[in-house]
Amino acid sequence: MPVISDPHAFNESQLYVDLRSIFGRSLYLKCEGFNFAGSIKLKAAIEMVETAERNGVLTPDSILVESSSGNLGVALSMIAASKGYRFLCVTDSRCNLSSRLLMEALGSEVHIIADVDANGGFLGARIDYVRALCTSDDRYVWLSQYTNPGNWRAHYRRTAPEIARQFPQLDVLFIGAGTTGTLMGCARYFREWHRPVRIVAVDSVGSVIFGGEPGRRMIPGLGMSIRPPLLDESYVDEVIQVEEADTIRTCHRLARRGFLFGGSTGTVVSGAMDWLARHDTSDLTTVAIAPDLGERYLDTIYQANWLQDLYGDHIVESKEVAAGSRGVEPTLRASVQEPKPVK
């Protein structure tokens, strides 16, 4: 029985769901939402905070500030409350209401940005606001999840080794792309591993991470409106882009079997099932990472009025999981590294 004093000291790292009984194809889903922050972002948050403490960047008078669409903001709120820091989360209107309420319950301040950037997203405006705060008052400390190497190191040191221990014969790993911290950390680890692992990044249609056209994205978590500074495409073998409609259908299909997952997880699973349907996977061991659970999405992707207003009346009636997903080759793939053959 674990006994802890700090909320970030607990994180269930060995829970996987076998999705074969739901989707008819073998895929092990690594569940990262069973901690007090409720998502995989706890790993990056504690890595970045404790590195800043060791380097003397964070002091008792510091005010943490970060741009987040929700999950990292909740994780930093929890850590700030535990360690005695003030924290300001800069987010936008797509942030789930439950995430905003959680951050405020933990004692954090939340600032909502309404202006969009040049790509039609909010990220550029959020970052501009954070930079202005830091310029105006040197007490503000911006960890910058978009550029902080602690973001990917957390997954190089923890997430990837956890998967490697459970699946020593791993062939394919599906990872959602946002800041690309999880993607880069796991990809770097498995590049050095004893056997080749195919790294498949899963992104949202409308995201520009891998050079796609910017478009409307209403589900927070994956995707970005700017290219992530942490991204190195030479570590990525393939990219799948998923329509939000397929994310929603996948989440509802999982929920009908008793598994309530978040939008990021629905996107990853939808993309993974699309990939598996197009390849001979009879001898492959495949794993996907589920970043979060679904409670924070009850007023969005699990709420009928929200779905009908944005996607129409019949969005969840179809039983198709990934009919709208499409494969995209990384823009630098041909010039950097030949794709690994699929067994």
Side-chain angles (χ1 to χ4, degrees):
M1 178 181 69
V3 178
I4 63 173
S5 299
D6 300 310
H8 51 272
F10 171 77
N11 187 53
E12 174 55 60
S13 63
Q14 300 182 53
L15 179 62
Y16 293 79
V17 176
D18 185 349
L19 296 180
R20 181 186 288 277
S21 64
I22 302 174
F23 295 98
R25 294 184 173 87
S26 181
L27 177 69
Y28 297 101
L29 188 63
K30 188 181 194 309
C31 301
E32 288 282 352
F34 291 97
N35 55 58
F36 285 98
S39 80
I40 197 171
K41 289 293 188 177
L42 175 61
K43 291 176 175 176
I46 194 62
E47 177 79 19
M48 292 188 296
V49 167
E50 293 190 343
T51 298
E53 289 176 331
R54 288 194 298 270
N55 293 340
V57 175
L58 275 176
T59 68
D61 294 329
S62 296
I63 305 172
L64 279 169
V65 61
E66 187 56 81
S67 162
S68 169
S69 62
N71 283 339
L72 182 70
V74 173
L76 287 173
S77 293
M78 185 193 78
I79 293 168
S82 174
K83 289 177 171 286
Y85 296 115
R86 290 173 58 190
F87 172 56
L88 169 63
C89 180
V90 180
T91 188
D92 58 69
S93 57
R94 293 177 306 169
C95 178
N96 296 325
L97 175 62
S98 56
S99 295
R100 301 202 299 265
L101 294 176
L102 269 170
M103 287 186 274
E104 291 171 348
L106 290 164
S108 299
E109 299 176 59
V110 180
H111 181 82
I112 301 172
I113 295 292
D115 298 326
V116 297
D117 58 29
N119 286 323
F122 294 95
L123 181 55
R126 282 173 14 200
I127 290 175
D128 288 344
Y129 186 86
V130 171
R131 285 176 173 152
L133 278 179
C134 294
T135 300
S136 68
D137 189 333
D138 59 11
R139 291 178 300 167
Y140 284 104
V141 174
W142 181 25
L143 297 175
S144 184
Q145 63 167 323
Y146 312 106
T147 60
N148 194 321
N151 189 348
W152 67 261
R153 283 188 189 133
H155 305 288
Y156 180 90
R157 293 172 176 170
R158 298 185 60 185
T159 308
E162 290 163 3
I163 295 169
R165 284 193 294 271
Q166 294 295 321
F167 298 94
Q169 299 302 311
L170 179 66
D171 295 297
V172 186
L173 179 61
F174 299 94
I175 311 168
T179 64
T180 67
T182 307
L183 175 63
M184 288 293 96
C186 291
R188 282 186 167 94
Y189 180 90
F190 284 111
R191 178 64 63 84
E192 301 167 359
W193 210 35
H194 70 278
R195 58 181 279 118
V197 174
R198 188 173 186 84
I199 300 297
V200 180
V202 184
D203 193 15
S204 300
V205 170
S207 165
V208 304
I209 291 176
F210 296 97
E213 289 295 321
R216 185 187 77 162
R217 292 180 295 111
M218 300 306 298
I219 301 173
L222 300 186
M224 285 183 66
S225 58
I226 64 174
R227 180 181 171 85
L230 295 178
L231 176 63
D232 182 343
E233 290 189 57
S234 68
Y235 288 93
V236 179
D237 297 298
E238 192 172 348
V239 178
I240 301 291
Q241 284 193 312
V242 176
E243 298 277 0
E244 287 192 334
D246 294 306
T247 292
I248 292 164
R249 293 183 186 115
T250 301
C251 285
H252 281 258
R253 185 166 177 178
L254 287 162
R256 291 188 191 108
R257 297 298 295 271
F259 293 105
L260 193 72
F261 284 107
S264 297
T265 299
T267 301
V268 173
V269 173
S270 179
M273 288 301 163
D274 174 85
W275 191 94
L276 294 171
R278 293 184 284 106
H279 294 83
D280 178 9
T281 60
S282 56
D283 296 325
L284 296 183
T285 298
T286 61
V287 172
I289 297 176
D292 56 2
L293 302 179
E295 289 89 343
R296 294 173 194 170
Y297 297 81
L298 291 177
D299 58 345
T300 54
I301 63 177
Y302 294 107
Q303 212 279 331
N305 290 337
W306 188 87
L307 291 175
Q308 290 169 358
D309 289 345
L310 292 174
Y311 303 97
D313 293 336
H314 306 294
I315 181 65
V316 295
E317 291 184 3
S318 171
K319 292 184 179 180
E320 296 178 3
V321 176
S325 303
R326 52 194 173 90
V328 179
E329 285 298 320
T331 56
L332 300 185
R333 167 59 50 217
S335 62
V336 179
Q337 174 185 329
E338 292 297 320
K340 299 175 186 175
V342 180
K343 295 181 179 179

